[in-house]
Amino acid sequence: MDFSGRAVLNANNSRADRLWTAAFPNINTASGVIKNAAAVGSISPALVAEARFFRAFDYFMLVQTFGGVPLDLGAGELEFNTNAIRTSVRNTVPEVYTKAVFPDLLQAITDLPATPRVIGGVTKTLARLYLAKAT
């Protein structure tokens, strides 16, 4: 969802809630893949890199739309959470970039393949493009 050029977001000109409600489950799922890949043993580094890319992408979209957003979903910053919580603490914009977006994109660039695993899949080039966009 691209909210660029929408002026000041409000309930009359956007559905920003769609991004908010979709991004955090995606982030948590990516965190679960990243955390548990080694234990499973059959998940390739390229798939973990895809999870890192998508977690960075979701955080990038959130921070561009809402400013600072929570990095702790209930189990610690950037940790996979299995317990529902009703509270959160908003991190600052620089914290979101330096703790989530940049490290995940840099690791994704290292581990992603140059050619996609599937048609339209994530590649080093895509991760580099989002890193350039985020800087």
Side-chain angles (χ1 to χ4, degrees), residues 19 22-31 33-34 46-62 78 100-101 104-109 112 117-123 126-127 130:
L19 173 61
F24 285 110
N26 294 346
I27 289 166
N28 198 47
T29 299
S31 294
V33 170
I34 294 162
L47 285 175
V48 175
E50 284 187 33
R52 287 191 180 280
F53 170 81
F54 284 114
R55 183 169 72 176
F57 173 82
D58 281 324
Y59 268 121
F60 176 73
M61 293 301 294
L62 285 168
L78 301 175
V101 176
D104 276 352
L105 287 175
L106 290 169
Q107 189 64 50
I109 290 167
L112 281 169
R117 179 178 57 85
V118 295
I119 294 173
V122 181
T123 63
L126 181 61
Y130 269 92

Side-chain angles (χ1 to χ4, degrees), residues 46-116:
L47 285 175
V48 175
E50 284 187 33
R52 287 191 180 280
F53 170 81
F54 284 114
R55 183 169 72 176
F57 173 82
D58 281 324
Y59 268 121
F60 176 73
M61 293 301 294
L62 285 168
V63 80
Q64 288 289 301
T65 305
F66 301 107
V69 294
L71 294 176
D72 183 350
L73 305 183
E77 285 189 356
L78 301 175
E79 290 294 325
F80 178 56
N81 185 40
T82 57
N83 297 315
I85 62 167
R86 298 187 75 127
T87 61
S88 66
V89 175
R90 188 178 281 238
N91 291 81
T92 66
V93 170
E95 286 175 327
V96 175
Y97 278 112
T98 59
K99 292 181 177 182
V101 176
F102 295 148
D104 276 352
L105 287 175
L106 290 169
Q107 189 64 50
I109 290 167
T110 300
D111 295 341
L112 281 169
T115 57

